Amino acid sequence: MPLNIPILLTWLRVALIPLVVGVFYLPDVWLSPFAKGIASTAVFIVAAITDWFDGFLARRWNETSTFGAFLDPVADKLMVAGALLVLVEFYNVNAVLAFIIIGREIAISALREWMAQLGASKSVAVSSIGKIKTTAQMIAIPMLLYREALFGIDTRFWGTRLLEIAAVLTVWSMFYYLKKAWPLIKEKAGRIV
């Protein structure tokens, strides 16, 4: 396993995930519900910044690696899944939206792994739809964790709308990736039969 600053930042993101989740399980006498929202939002934003920063540094310093390419999306998915589960449990965020987003992440990760084994990983490379979906959910989640008005913005309302948009884009991007992979899936299925 290579050890460099981009990979250390990714490991930091993995280490921050339990903080985003764990803060909600502290007794209210230790941390008020409002303080829990602020703390989890701040930790999530720091984790999200490390996500951008580690990729930027890896490309800039030419320190990309197979391990980093594996760990980075795993950290992202764990971070989003952990935050969504907290939102469902503590803030009554729609569980169907969380299921759509988490389920798609699992399905597309499996598809990408399978396509990589077949030497066709470029056919399921990240699309612009996927990037817009990620942006929407990475803005929605901290808004929903915070849950208080911010500069006159109703973060609950707009966070929910952005999460709904992310869920729609999640389904759309999943069909996009499946369409790109379908010829190879069909070909491989034909060989099995």
Side-chain angles (χ1 to χ4, degrees):
M1 175 183 78
L3 199 57
N4 54 39
I5 291 175
I7 287 180
L8 287 173
L9 286 172
T10 305
W11 278 118
L12 173 63
R13 189 158 72 258
V14 171
L16 290 175
I17 296 164
L19 292 177
V20 172
V21 175
V23 72
F24 286 94
Y25 291 94
L26 294 173
D28 287 349
V29 293
W30 290 7
L31 210 55
S32 71
F34 176 73
K36 290 176 185 180
I38 290 176
S40 63
T41 301
V43 173
F44 188 89
I45 289 170
V46 168
I49 290 169
T50 68
D51 180 26
W52 174 83
F53 206 53
D54 65 10
F56 171 78
L57 290 178
R59 288 184 297 277
R60 178 109 186 215
W61 295 342
N62 197 25
E63 291 183 342
T64 58
S65 67
T66 306
F67 182 75
F70 156 76
L71 185 62
D72 186 64
V74 169
D76 297 346
K77 287 161 185 43
L78 286 172
M79 182 175 71
V80 168
L84 287 173
L85 291 173
V86 161
L87 289 169
V88 168
E89 182 174 350
F90 291 98
Y91 289 151
N92 297 319
V93 167
N94 190 322
V96 173
L97 296 177
F99 176 76
I100 289 169
I101 292 169
I102 294 169
R104 179 263 189 201
E105 295 298 343
I106 293 168
I108 296 304
S109 292
L111 177 66
R112 283 192 176 126
E113 185 176 329
W114 182 67
M115 295 295 281
Q117 289 176 359
L118 299 175
S121 58
K122 290 193 177 182
S123 63
V124 284
V126 176
S127 71
S128 58
I129 298 167
K131 289 179 182 178
I132 295 168
K133 180 269 306 178
T134 299
T135 301
Q137 75 188 17
M138 295 305 256
I139 295 171
I141 290 171
M143 289 180 93
L144 290 169
L145 289 170
Y146 184 69
R147 294 189 65 78
E148 300 293 327
L150 183 66
F151 305 118
I153 297 169
D154 184 345
T155 58
R156 253 185 265 188
F157 175 83
W158 288 110
T160 302
R161 299 298 80 79
L162 281 170
L163 198 63
E164 290 166 350
I165 290 167
V168 169
L169 292 174
T170 289
V171 173
W172 184 2
S173 67
M174 184 173 75
F175 283 118
Y176 170 82
Y177 291 128
L178 287 172
K179 182 180 174 188
K180 297 279 275 181
W182 186 249
L184 193 55
I185 292 170
K186 195 173 172 184
E187 177 189 327
K188 293 295 178 184
R191 287 184 193 168
I192 294 170
V193 175

